[in-house]
Amino acid sequence: MRIVLAREMGGCSVLGRIWGVWRRRPGVHAVPKAPGFGTEAGHRLRPRGSSKRSRPLGGQPFPGLLQLENLSREELVDVLRAAVVDQKGKPGELTLFSVLPELSQSLGLGDQELQVVQASGKETSGLVLLSSCPQTASRLQKFFIYSRRAQRPTANYCAVTDGIPATSEGKIQAALKLEHVDGVDLVIPVKSPSRKDFQEGVKRTLSHFHVVAMGSGCALVQLQPLTVFPSQLQVHMVLQLCPVLGDHTYSARVGTVLGQRFLLPAESTKPQRQVPDDALLRRLCLTPSQAAQLPLHLHLHCLHLPGMRPGEAPMKLLAPLPSYFSRTLQCLGLHQQ
C-alpha cells in the first residue's frame, strides 16, 4: 500500500512520499509544531530526487512560481516525482492526469494506477494526496465525507486578503450555484434560495475563518472549509469584502466608493484582473503589469488524517508556503503567530 503526497508550487510541484501503511521513511519526519498554523505533531514534506525547474517570471517578482509552458513532458515528470499541476484539463493540456502513467512508472508502481484522494483547486497551491491503493483511497474519502457531515474541518488553508475582515474570526455561510457565463464557469451566491433552487444545483456552503495577522490593509487568514464547492473560499472572502490576493476571477465583485467597500451584483460583474491600489503595489514592489500576473495567494497548508491502524494517533500533513507567498508576507509585514 502506498500513499503519495505532493505540494504544489503555483503551477508545478515537488513531492514527498509516505511508504507502506503510513510508516515513516527517509524524506518524511515528524515535527512538533507547524509555524503559524496548527499545533499537533505531523509530517513535513521534503523534496527528493532531481529537480529541473522552469524559468520564473522576468525579474523574479514571484519566486517559486513555475510556468508549465516552459516544461517538456519529461521535465514535468522529473520535477514532480509526483507532481501536482492541476485537477482538470482540456484535451491535450499538460496536467496531473495526463502524466499519471509516467508518474506511476517513475515511482516504481508498475501497473498500479494512481488516483487523487484530496486536492486543492486549479490555481491554489498546497497539498495534493494521491494513492495507488483503492482500499486506502476509499477509506480516506469516507473519512473526509464523515468529517464534513460532523462539521469537523480536515483542511487548513492560509490566504492573504486584500482588505481586513470586520471580525477576527467567525463563520461564512452562503448558498452558491455554478453558472456558465460567456464560456466561463462562475460561482454565484444565491439569496434566500428556494427548494427548487436546491434541486437545480444550489448548495449551502460553510467555512470558518481566523485572522492570523494584519498589516498594510491586508490580512493573513486561516480558512477551514466545512463543505466542498468550486472556488468556495475565494467567493466566501469576497462576501467578506476581502478578496484573496491574486484572485483575478471574483475580486471584481468588490467595489469601492470614498474608501467604503461594497458588493457588486455577481450576475452582472464580469471577471477581470485584480488591480491593487498604488500603496499596495509599492509595498509588494510590483509594477501594474506584474500585478496582473499575481498568483492566487491561497494555499492548502495542512490536511488532518486518521491513523491508518487501530490505536494509531491521527496525523497532520503539512506543506510549507511557496516562496512567492512568503515574500508577500514579508513585504506586507504579516507575521505568522
Side-chain angles (χ1 to χ4, degrees), residues 137-194:
S138 177
R139 180 183 177 188
L140 288 171
Q141 288 165 348
K142 290 178 181 178
F143 166 75
F144 291 130
I145 292 172
Y146 178 80
S147 297
R148 287 195 295 271
R149 289 175 178 171
Q151 293 200 347
R152 284 202 302 265
T154 57
N156 287 357
Y157 288 77
C158 47
V160 177
T161 61
D162 181 4
I164 300 173
T167 58
S168 60
E169 59 183 343
K171 295 181 179 180
I172 308 171
Q173 301 182 69
L176 302 177
K177 66 177 179 179
L178 195 63
E179 284 194 357
H180 196 68
V181 181
D182 295 333
V184 180
D185 289 329
L186 295 177
V187 177
I188 307 293
V190 179
K191 294 183 179 179
S192 304
S194 65

Coordinates of all heavy atoms in Angstrom, one line a residue, residues 137-194:
A137 N -7.6 4.7 -0.6 CA -8.2 5.9 -1.1 C -9.7 5.9 -0.7 O -10.2 7.0 -0.3 CB -8.1 5.9 -2.7
S138 N -10.4 4.8 -0.8 CA -11.8 4.7 -0.4 C -12.0 5.1 1.1 O -12.9 5.8 1.5 CB -12.4 3.3 -0.7 OG -13.7 3.2 -0.2
R139 N -11.1 4.5 1.9 CA -11.2 4.8 3.4 C -11.0 6.3 3.7 O -11.7 6.9 4.5 CB -10.1 3.9 4.1 CG -10.2 4.2 5.6 CD -9.2 3.4 6.4 NE -9.2 3.7 7.8 CZ -8.3 3.3 8.7 NH1 -7.3 2.6 8.3 NH2 -8.5 3.7 9.9
L140 N -10.0 6.9 3.0 CA -9.7 8.3 3.3 C -10.9 9.2 2.7 O -11.2 10.1 3.4 CB -8.4 8.7 2.6 CG -7.1 8.1 3.3 CD1 -5.9 8.4 2.4 CD2 -7.0 8.7 4.7
Q141 N -11.4 8.8 1.6 CA -12.5 9.6 1.1 C -13.7 9.5 2.0 O -14.4 10.5 2.2 CB -12.9 9.1 -0.3 CG -11.8 9.5 -1.4 CD -11.9 8.8 -2.7 OE1 -12.6 7.8 -2.8 NE2 -11.2 9.3 -3.7
K142 N -14.0 8.3 2.5 CA -15.1 8.2 3.5 C -14.8 9.0 4.8 O -15.7 9.6 5.4 CB -15.3 6.7 3.9 CG -15.9 5.9 2.7 CD -16.0 4.4 3.1 CE -16.5 3.6 1.9 NZ -16.6 2.1 2.3
F143 N -13.5 9.0 5.2 CA -13.2 9.9 6.4 C -13.5 11.3 6.1 O -14.0 12.0 7.0 CB -11.7 9.7 6.7 CG -11.1 10.7 7.6 CD1 -11.4 10.6 9.0 CD2 -10.3 11.7 7.2 CE1 -10.9 11.6 9.9 CE2 -9.8 12.7 8.0 CZ -10.1 12.6 9.4
F144 N -13.1 11.8 4.9 CA -13.4 13.2 4.6 C -14.9 13.5 4.6 O -15.3 14.6 5.1 CB -12.7 13.6 3.3 CG -11.2 13.6 3.3 CD1 -10.5 13.0 2.4 CD2 -10.6 14.3 4.3 CE1 -9.1 13.0 2.4 CE2 -9.2 14.4 4.4 CZ -8.4 13.7 3.4
I145 N -15.7 12.6 4.0 CA -17.1 12.8 3.9 C -17.7 12.8 5.3 O -18.5 13.7 5.6 CB -17.8 11.7 3.0 CG1 -17.3 11.9 1.6 CG2 -19.3 11.7 3.2 CD1 -17.7 10.7 0.7
Y146 N -17.3 11.8 6.1 CA -17.8 11.8 7.5 C -17.5 13.0 8.3 O -18.3 13.6 9.1 CB -17.3 10.5 8.2 CG -17.8 10.4 9.7 CD1 -19.0 9.9 10.0 CD2 -16.9 10.8 10.7 CE1 -19.4 9.8 11.3 CE2 -17.3 10.7 12.0 CZ -18.6 10.2 12.3 OH -19.0 10.1 13.6
S147 N -16.3 13.5 8.1 CA -15.8 14.7 8.9 C -16.6 15.9 8.5 O -17.0 16.7 9.3 CB -14.3 14.9 8.6 OG -13.5 13.9 9.1
R148 N -16.9 16.0 7.2 CA -17.8 17.2 6.7 C -19.2 17.1 7.3 O -19.7 18.1 7.8 CB -17.8 17.2 5.2 CG -16.6 17.7 4.5 CD -16.8 18.0 3.1 NE -17.2 16.9 2.3 CZ -16.3 16.1 1.6 NH1 -15.0 16.3 1.7 NH2 -16.8 15.1 0.9
R149 N -19.7 15.9 7.3 CA -21.1 15.7 7.9 C -21.1 16.1 9.4 O -22.1 16.6 9.9 CB -21.6 14.3 7.7 CG -21.9 14.0 6.3 CD -22.3 12.5 6.1 NE -22.6 12.3 4.7 CZ -22.9 11.0 4.2 NH1 -22.7 10.0 5.0 NH2 -23.2 10.9 2.9
A150 N -20.0 15.8 10.1 CA -19.9 16.1 11.5 C -19.4 17.5 11.7 O -19.2 17.9 12.9 CB -18.9 15.1 12.2
Q151 N -19.2 18.2 10.7 CA -18.6 19.6 10.7 C -17.3 19.7 11.5 O -17.1 20.6 12.3 CB -19.7 20.6 11.3 CG -20.9 20.7 10.5 CD -21.7 22.0 10.8 OE1 -21.4 22.7 11.8 NE2 -22.6 22.4 9.9
R152 N -16.4 18.7 11.2 CA -15.1 18.7 11.7 C -14.1 19.1 10.5 O -14.0 18.3 9.6 CB -14.7 17.4 12.3 CG -15.3 17.1 13.6 CD -14.5 16.1 14.4 NE -14.4 14.8 13.6 CZ -15.2 13.8 13.8 NH1 -16.2 13.9 14.7 NH2 -15.1 12.7 13.1
P153 N -13.4 20.2 10.6 CA -12.5 20.5 9.5 C -11.4 19.6 9.4 O -10.8 19.2 10.4 CB -12.1 22.0 9.8 CG -12.3 22.1 11.3 CD -13.5 21.2 11.7
T154 N -11.0 19.2 8.2 CA -9.9 18.4 7.9 C -8.8 19.1 7.1 O -7.7 18.6 7.0 CB -10.3 17.1 7.1 OG1 -10.9 17.5 5.9 CG2 -11.2 16.3 7.9
A155 N -9.1 20.3 6.6 CA -8.1 21.0 5.8 C -8.0 22.4 6.3 O -9.0 23.1 6.6 CB -8.6 21.1 4.3
N156 N -6.8 22.9 6.4 CA -6.5 24.3 6.8 C -5.8 25.0 5.6 O -4.7 24.5 5.1 CB -5.5 24.4 8.0 CG -6.2 24.0 9.3 OD1 -7.4 23.7 9.3 ND2 -5.4 23.9 10.3
Y157 N -6.4 26.1 5.1 CA -5.8 26.9 4.1 C -5.3 28.2 4.7 O -5.8 28.6 5.8 CB -6.8 27.3 3.0 CG -7.3 26.2 2.1 CD1 -8.2 25.2 2.6 CD2 -6.8 26.1 0.8 CE1 -8.6 24.2 1.7 CE2 -7.3 25.1 0.0 CZ -8.2 24.1 0.4 OH -8.6 23.2 -0.4
C158 N -4.3 28.8 4.1 CA -3.9 30.1 4.5 C -4.0 31.0 3.3 O -3.7 30.6 2.2 CB -2.5 30.2 5.1 SG -1.2 29.3 4.2
A159 N -4.4 32.2 3.5 CA -4.7 33.2 2.4 C -4.2 34.5 2.8 O -4.3 34.9 4.0 CB -6.2 33.2 2.1
V160 N -3.8 35.3 1.8 CA -3.5 36.7 2.0 C -4.7 37.4 1.4 O -5.0 37.2 0.2 CB -2.2 37.2 1.4 CG1 -2.0 38.7 1.5 CG2 -1.0 36.5 2.0
T161 N -5.4 38.3 2.1 CA -6.5 39.0 1.6 C -6.2 40.5 1.4 O -5.5 41.1 2.1 CB -7.7 38.9 2.5 OG1 -7.4 39.5 3.8 CG2 -8.1 37.4 2.7
D162 N -6.8 41.0 0.3 CA -6.8 42.5 0.0 C -7.9 43.1 0.8 O -9.1 43.1 0.4 CB -6.9 42.8 -1.4 CG -6.8 44.2 -1.8 OD1 -6.6 45.1 -0.8 OD2 -7.0 44.6 -2.9
G163 N -7.6 43.6 2.0 CA -8.6 44.0 3.0 C -8.6 43.2 4.2 O -8.0 42.1 4.2
I164 N -9.2 43.7 5.3 CA -9.2 43.0 6.6 C -10.6 42.7 7.0 O -11.4 43.6 7.0 CB -8.5 43.9 7.6 CG1 -7.0 44.2 7.2 CG2 -8.5 43.2 9.0 CD1 -6.3 45.2 8.1
P165 N -10.9 41.4 7.3 CA -12.3 41.1 7.7 C -12.7 42.0 8.9 O -11.9 42.4 9.8 CB -12.1 39.6 8.1 CG -11.0 39.1 7.3 CD -10.0 40.3 7.2
A166 N -14.0 42.2 9.0 CA -14.6 43.0 10.1 C -14.4 42.4 11.5 O -14.3 43.1 12.5 CB -16.0 43.3 9.8
T167 N -14.4 41.1 11.5 CA -14.2 40.4 12.8 C -13.0 39.5 12.7 O -12.6 39.1 11.6 CB -15.4 39.6 13.2 OG1 -15.7 38.6 12.1 CG2 -16.6 40.4 13.4
S168 N -12.3 39.2 13.8 CA -11.1 38.4 13.8 C -11.3 36.9 13.5 O -10.4 36.3 13.1 CB -10.4 38.6 15.1 OG -11.2 38.1 16.2
E169 N -12.5 36.5 13.7 CA -12.8 35.1 13.4 C -14.4 34.9 13.3 O -15.1 35.7 13.7 CB -12.3 34.1 14.4 CG -12.8 34.3 15.8 CD -12.1 33.3 16.8 OE1 -11.5 32.3 16.3 OE2 -12.2 33.6 18.0
G170 N -14.8 33.8 12.6 CA -16.2 33.6 12.5 C -16.5 32.6 11.4 O -15.6 31.9 10.9
K171 N -17.8 32.4 11.1 CA -18.2 31.5 10.1 C -18.8 32.3 8.9 O -19.3 33.4 9.0 CB -19.4 30.6 10.6 CG -19.0 29.7 11.7 CD -20.1 28.8 12.1 CE -19.8 27.9 13.2 NZ -20.9 27.0 13.6
I172 N -18.6 31.7 7.7 CA -19.1 32.3 6.5 C -20.1 31.3 5.9 O -19.7 30.2 5.5 CB -18.0 32.7 5.4 CG1 -16.9 33.6 6.1 CG2 -18.6 33.4 4.2 CD1 -15.7 33.8 5.2
Q173 N -21.3 31.6 5.8 CA -22.3 30.7 5.2 C -23.0 31.4 4.0 O -23.3 32.6 4.0 CB -23.4 30.4 6.2 CG -22.9 29.8 7.5 CD -24.0 29.4 8.5 OE1 -24.8 28.5 8.2 NE2 -24.1 30.1 9.6
A174 N -23.1 30.6 2.9 CA -23.7 31.2 1.7 C -24.2 30.0 0.8 O -23.6 28.9 0.8 CB -22.7 32.0 0.9
A175 N -25.3 30.3 0.2 CA -25.8 29.3 -0.8 C -25.2 29.7 -2.2 O -25.2 30.9 -2.6 CB -27.4 29.4 -0.9
L176 N -24.6 28.8 -2.8 CA -23.8 29.0 -4.1 C -24.3 28.1 -5.2 O -24.8 27.0 -5.0 CB -22.3 28.8 -3.9 CG -21.6 29.6 -2.7 CD1 -20.2 29.2 -2.7 CD2 -21.8 31.1 -3.0
K177 N -24.2 28.6 -6.4 CA -24.5 27.9 -7.6 C -23.5 28.1 -8.6 O -22.8 29.1 -8.6 CB -25.9 28.2 -8.2 CG -26.0 29.6 -8.7 CD -27.4 29.9 -9.3 CE -27.5 31.3 -9.8 NZ -28.8 31.6 -10.4
L178 N -23.3 27.2 -9.5 CA -22.3 27.3 -10.6 C -23.1 27.6 -11.9 O -24.0 26.9 -12.3 CB -21.6 26.0 -10.8 CG -20.3 26.0 -11.6 CD1 -19.2 26.9 -11.0 CD2 -19.7 24.6 -11.7
E179 N -22.7 28.7 -12.6 CA -23.3 29.1 -13.8 C -22.3 29.2 -14.9 O -21.1 29.6 -14.7 CB -24.1 30.4 -13.7 CG -25.4 30.3 -12.9 CD -26.2 31.6 -13.1 OE1 -25.7 32.6 -13.7 OE2 -27.3 31.6 -12.6
H180 N -22.7 28.9 -16.1 CA -21.8 29.0 -17.3 C -22.1 30.3 -18.0 O -23.2 30.5 -18.5 CB -22.0 27.9 -18.3 CG -21.0 27.7 -19.3 ND1 -19.7 27.3 -18.9 CD2 -21.0 27.9 -20.6 CE1 -18.9 27.2 -20.0 NE2 -19.7 27.6 -21.1
V181 N -21.2 31.3 -17.8 CA -21.4 32.7 -18.3 C -20.4 33.0 -19.3 O -19.2 33.0 -19.0 CB -21.4 33.7 -17.1 CG1 -21.7 35.1 -17.7 CG2 -22.5 33.3 -16.1
D182 N -20.8 33.3 -20.5 CA -19.8 33.7 -21.6 C -18.6 32.7 -21.7 O -17.5 33.1 -21.8 CB -19.3 35.1 -21.3 CG -20.3 36.2 -21.4 OD1 -21.3 36.0 -22.1 OD2 -20.2 37.2 -20.7
G183 N -19.0 31.5 -21.7 CA -18.0 30.4 -21.9 C -17.1 30.1 -20.6 O -16.2 29.4 -20.7
V184 N -17.5 30.7 -19.5 CA -16.7 30.5 -18.2 C -17.7 30.0 -17.1 O -18.8 30.6 -17.0 CB -16.0 31.8 -17.8 CG1 -15.2 31.6 -16.5 CG2 -15.1 32.3 -18.9
D185 N -17.2 29.0 -16.4 CA -18.0 28.6 -15.2 C -17.7 29.5 -14.0 O -16.5 29.7 -13.6 CB -17.6 27.2 -14.8 CG -18.1 26.2 -15.8 OD1 -19.2 26.4 -16.4 OD2 -17.4 25.1 -16.0
L186 N -18.7 30.2 -13.5 CA -18.6 31.1 -12.4 C -19.5 30.7 -11.3 O -20.6 30.2 -11.5 CB -18.9 32.5 -12.9 CG -18.0 33.2 -13.9 CD1 -18.6 34.5 -14.3 CD2 -16.6 33.3 -13.4
V187 N -19.0 31.0 -10.0 CA -19.8 30.7 -8.8 C -20.6 31.9 -8.5 O -20.0 33.0 -8.3 CB -18.9 30.2 -7.7 CG1 -19.7 30.0 -6.4 CG2 -18.2 28.9 -8.1
I188 N -21.9 31.8 -8.3 CA -22.8 32.9 -8.0 C -23.5 32.7 -6.6 O -24.1 31.6 -6.4 CB -23.9 33.0 -9.1 CG1 -23.2 33.1 -10.5 CG2 -24.8 34.3 -8.8 CD1 -22.4 34.4 -10.7
P189 N -23.5 33.6 -5.7 CA -24.2 33.5 -4.5 C -25.7 33.6 -4.7 O -26.1 34.4 -5.7 CB -23.7 34.7 -3.6 CG -22.5 35.1 -4.3 CD -22.6 34.8 -5.7
V190 N -26.5 32.9 -4.0 CA -28.0 32.9 -4.1 C -28.6 33.3 -2.8 O -28.4 32.7 -1.8 CB -28.5 31.5 -4.6 CG1 -30.0 31.6 -4.7 CG2 -27.9 31.1 -5.9
K191 N -29.3 34.4 -2.8 CA -30.0 34.9 -1.6 C -31.3 34.2 -1.5 O -32.1 34.0 -2.4 CB -30.2 36.4 -1.7 CG -28.9 37.2 -1.7 CD -29.2 38.7 -1.7 CE -28.0 39.5 -1.6 NZ -28.2 41.0 -1.6
S192 N -31.6 33.8 -0.2 CA -32.9 33.1 0.1 C -33.3 32.1 -0.9 O -34.3 32.2 -1.6 CB -34.0 34.2 0.2 OG -33.7 35.2 1.1
P193 N -32.5 31.0 -1.1 CA -32.8 30.0 -2.1 C -34.0 29.2 -1.8 O -34.4 29.0 -0.6 CB -31.5 29.1 -2.0 CG -31.0 29.3 -0.7 CD -31.3 30.8 -0.3
S194 N -34.8 28.8 -2.8 CA -36.0 28.0 -2.6 C -35.6 26.5 -2.7 O -34.5 26.2 -3.1 CB -37.0 28.4 -3.7 OG -36.5 28.1 -5.0

